[in-house]
Amino acid sequence: MIHWWRILFCGITFTALMLPAVVRAEEQSSTFQLYGISHPEREADLKQILQMIPAISDYQLNQSGDHITLTYEPLELFAPQEQEQLQKNLPIPAEKTEQKLKELISQSSRNTFELLPAAEFSEEQFTRIEIPINPLDCKACRFAVYSYIAKVPGVVRAKISTEPSLLTAWIDGSQTSHEALLKILTDKNVPLPEDESAAAP
Amino acid sequence: MAFLRIILPVIFPLLISLPVSADIQPFFQKHCLECHNADSKEGGLDLSGLKMQDDQFRTFLKIHDRIESGKMPPPGQERPAKAELQNVLTELDAFLIRAEQLQYPDEARTPTRRLTRVEYENTVRDLFEMPGLQLRDRLPADNSVNGYDKNSDALSISHVNLARYLEAADLALDYAIATQPEAPTFQQHKVSLASQYYVRLLIQSNGGAVFLKDKKPDPDFIPVDGRQHIDQGLHERFGMFETESAVGVFRHEDESFLPWTQGFAAIYPGRYRIKTSLWSYTWDKGEVKPSRGVEAMRLSVKQLQGHGLGQDHPSYVIGYYDAPSIESQEHEFVHWLNPGESIGFNVASLAPVHIYHQYKRNLYSFTGPGIACDWFKIEGPIFEEWPPHAHRILFADLPLKPFDPKAKELSYPRRTIHKQVMSGAKNHSDPFPGYWTVQTDQPLEDARRLLSQFLPIAFRRPVSEEMLDSYAAQVQNRLAAGDCFELAMRWVYRAALCSPDFLYHVEPDGKLDDHALACRLSYFLWNSMPDQELMQLAAERKLSNPDVLPQQIERLLQDPHSNRFVKDFCGQWLKLREIAATDPDKKLYPEFSTYLQDSMVLETEAYFRELIEQNLDASYLVKSDFAMLNEKLAVHYGIEGVSGPQIRRVALPPDHPRGPFLTQAAILKITANGTTTSPVPRGAFVLDRLLGQPADPPPPDVPAVEPDVRGATTIREQLALHRDHVACAACHAKLDPPGFALESFDVIGGQRARYRSIGEGDSAERGSIDPFIHISFKLGPQVDPAGTLPDGQQFQDICEFQQLAAADSHLLLTNMARQFAVYSTGREIRYRDRAAVREIVARVESQGGGLRTLIHELVQSELFQTR
């Protein structure tokens, strides 16, 4: 004869035992500004990098590719020795997990991807400039041009396109200018069409 | 005996201060005094008052040799009767032997001599089975006598030598003694040429190299097109250089580009297996097409200094490897590497091209050859057993146990922590294994046991109980002083490696015993200590058995160790060690390269090896129907149909001048000065080294002949005045003819009809010179290779001279017998040795006159087997 109270007792016990595991497996999502998507092919590189970090289960890029939302298991970001310590004081502070995410992404990509504080913006707020550059067939060269510009104060977004061969940047005109960016490119020996080179300060 | 040593030098002049004997005087009067008298003194010789004194030994030796060879009386004069000739030669012979014996009363033929530094290095290498241990260059350079450093007169020793021997022994023991219970981890790494920083620079910005994928330009890293890739550091972070693509290289090494595989440097001394995959191609403005043939990649060992940064590191060549057209060819070999050594490479067969300068770094405007490397795989260290032989010969099977380096009760050895010296290398050292050392519970018994095994092998002969006792006593002293067992044993092993028993050839007076014979045989044909089989035969007193000795000679000749004999003997006999003594003028000889120079040496060594292998006769020294060539030499010599860098036998048409030592590029380079040739040094070389008839040195106040590089006059014209002088004519009549014949060849051994000049002259055709090499030299006067031998025979060119020289194979064979004898016995051939040499030559001639037979007969002769 099955006693109903025995079934209830087993169920409660099972749930109690499973509850910490459910609590431990709680995923979180965070959104960051992403440095590194200089051109569309870089998304494949990003995917490869993220696959190297098992704690990250999913990601979403915004349309312009400059912001990313990562879904991850916070505790799994840390080494086993650290996890033991962190488990005593769950949940892990958000700053700590986000800092860890930044470190992991930077290290895995040798600093060709970086997570920065989210700063969504509307393109209408900023000035869009285009600087033609000589065609660059090498993806590392395209990234190099991007890297010279993307972190300049006043540049909120930068992209390299191949057809046409352009550097496109959205800038805060009070902090930088077309001429200033052109000078940076010239100083770095980025190959520019003749008229652009002539226009460089 | 001591009395004789003191008194004889005093009375010796009196003993043989005699007038010329009654048998000789009439001969002189009849045949010699007409020219060689007090008034005329032709050739500087006055026979009228000549006495047989010790200071006239050389004069009477010359007189004897001139008469015996028929050169005196001179052609045209009445010839002495046979019996008369025999009488005077017998008298002279007796005098000369007596004079020589009195001069060296009871001295053995070969005085005590130490190991040369090459012998020393080989001996230590073979003793410990560490074939790549670098010791030679740590020791002071040896002197040489008549070109041979094995000559006992050359082998002095000083406190500097001893200090260096101590250092060398310490290094050998450091490498030999195991310091951990398990072998270092065997690691396998795949390395690309792009691991090297400077290769990356070429790929990224200068155009000297390119990535290739599936035998095409790699689309992920396009070649530079006048623009460099931007930011090399970023490309590195992007991982652009960590690719499976092949690396095609166009740039030849030069003073600013000396590449090596920067992804690997040995940490532990030992054997490493090196594999590589190579191919070649023609780059046609961005397209990869079949190459012009099999190109050559040179691999070398680079000995890194410091952290492996910078470019210039000492190196030595491992070899040249085929890179066939488009189809990859894999190469594999095992090589010893010392800590901090890596593998260098160079596209040796390509002419120097600077895409950066000459093509403005635009590979799309360049058409030319390239060599590609798919990968390098380096694995090791390889140990068949642990601890290895080097440790076991010192400590047998005694266990390694941990020790505390801070313990105070005993002195323990200091340990070197093995670290990777090269930045960016893929292979890493093992975690520090702790402190381990050999330990024993019965140190004195084990010390004696180990020494009784080691010392006879190291000293190449049995060791007396007294000697064993003295070494064992030293161990006891060191243990009493507080050394641990390893340190105590190390102390005596170092002493043994610096003792006369190790450093010197120990040979008893008179007939060599079997141990000394084993050593002499081994140092002759292997340039190193006897192996176990030879030592065993010596211990059983079977080596000198006439049935056993020939077998051992054959065994040694067939073993790869005999390549050391080939290299060392040719290095000294033919002066190949001096191959790099001159740098050919870049304007006159722009086609010269280190690849050509290395090929020259390989040719000479391979040819000598072939003479031995095929037992060819001595006429092949000056004339041959084959040559040992690779493509580089074949092109240089104008011989078609040879492809690739490997040396192989090539049949030549009749009367082709190439092939023998006489016309090999190595010899021709060594006997020139890098800018011009002169018949005098070349003639002197031929007389001395090939014919065995060295000319007298020039008088002290003769000025050098300054060559005319403007091309206005030839060396022959310049020498004409010189040769017509009475005091010079006698020697130059012998020296100049072979030198004139060899004027057919320039300073790098290329054949010529006209002299090259940088001043006046006609435009020169490129011929076989690589199209990428700029030529600016002109063609000057015609070469005149004709001459007349001292006996009146004339020749018009090098081929006719070769015919004449080859006709006297007896002379050539006698010279080879002498050269082998000097090399193998460590002593010049004295007058009293001539009979023995004649006997050896006669036996060889009766068996066909082959050089392999000569080696056999020499080793089995009393000359070889007597100290």
Side-chain angles (χ1 to χ4, degrees), chain B residues 562-724:
Chain B
S562 62
N563 288 329
R564 291 170 173 169
F565 157 58
V566 170
K567 194 167 197 61
D568 197 55
F569 180 71
C570 290
Q572 298 186 58
W573 170 46
L574 296 173
K575 303 188 184 180
L576 285 191
R577 290 179 178 178
E578 297 171 24
I579 191 71
T582 59
D583 279 326
D585 185 273
K586 285 185 170 48
K587 285 186 181 165
L588 285 170
Y589 301 100
E591 72 268 43
F592 178 76
S593 67
T594 48
Y595 178 34
L596 179 61
Q597 182 171 279
D598 288 348
S599 299
M600 293 176 184
V601 173
L602 292 173
E603 175 193 16
T604 300
E605 290 174 354
Y607 187 79
F608 179 72
R609 166 61 81 181
E610 188 70 0
L611 297 191
I612 306 292
E613 290 296 305
Q614 304 302 324
N615 199 19
L616 297 173
D617 67 65
S619 68
Y620 278 84
L621 269 62
V622 294
K623 191 171 176 346
S624 180
D625 54 4
F626 72 94
M628 300 301 288
L629 304 175
N630 61 10
E631 182 177 349
K632 185 68 176 173
L633 281 167
V635 167
H636 188 55
Y637 291 165
I639 295 169
E640 292 180 352
V642 181
S643 173
Q646 305 311 316
I647 297 278
R648 83 296 305 266
R649 180 169 170 148
V650 175
L652 296 173
D655 291 331
H656 198 289
R658 295 293 187 177
F661 298 118
L662 182 71
T663 54
Q664 289 175 3
I667 307 306
L668 298 162
K669 181 177 188 290
I670 285 160
T671 51
N673 66 7
T675 304
T676 56
T677 59
S678 170
V680 178
R682 281 188 170 171
F685 182 94
V686 172
L687 290 180
D688 180 23
R689 295 285 140 176
L690 298 182
L691 304 182
Q693 298 184 316
D696 290 334
D701 52 355
V702 172
V705 175
E706 291 299 323
D708 183 355
V709 296
R710 298 165 305 145
T713 54
T714 66
I715 187 69
R716 191 182 191 115
E717 289 160 357
Q718 288 178 288
L719 276 174
L721 292 171
H722 201 74
R723 226 169 35 251
D724 288 340

Side-chain angles (χ1 to χ4, degrees), chain A residues 42 110-112 134-141 143-145 147-148 191, chain B residues 219-222 225 227-231 234-240 242:
Chain A
R42 284 284 284 155
R110 296 186 204 165
N111 298 321
T112 57
N134 281 356
L136 297 171
D137 294 321
C138 169
K139 64 180 182 181
C141 290
F143 184 80
V145 176
S147 72
Y148 298 147
Chain B
D220 288 336
F221 206 121
I222 57 166
D225 58 356
R227 300 167 297 168
Q228 54 185 323
H229 286 260
I230 304 167
D231 199 330
L234 189 138
H235 279 68
E236 304 214 14
R237 282 192 287 129
F238 234 62
M240 296 300 284
E242 292 156 30

Side-chain angles (χ1 to χ4, degrees), chain B residues 387-437:
Chain B
H389 166 86
H391 177 92
R392 288 177 189 279
I393 200 176
L394 298 170
F395 293 109
D397 289 328
L398 289 180
L400 283 159
K401 292 181 182 171
F403 71 90
D404 179 3
K406 295 187 187 141
K408 298 273 189 262
E409 66 274 11
L410 283 180
S411 292
Y412 285 105
R414 270 186 274 185
R415 293 303 189 214
T416 304
I417 300 196
H418 294 280
K419 288 194 287 198
Q420 175 56 266
V421 299
M422 175 158 43
S423 306
K426 287 184 170 186
N427 59 319
H428 300 284
S429 53
D430 291 337
F432 182 63
Y435 294 95
W436 296 77
T437 186

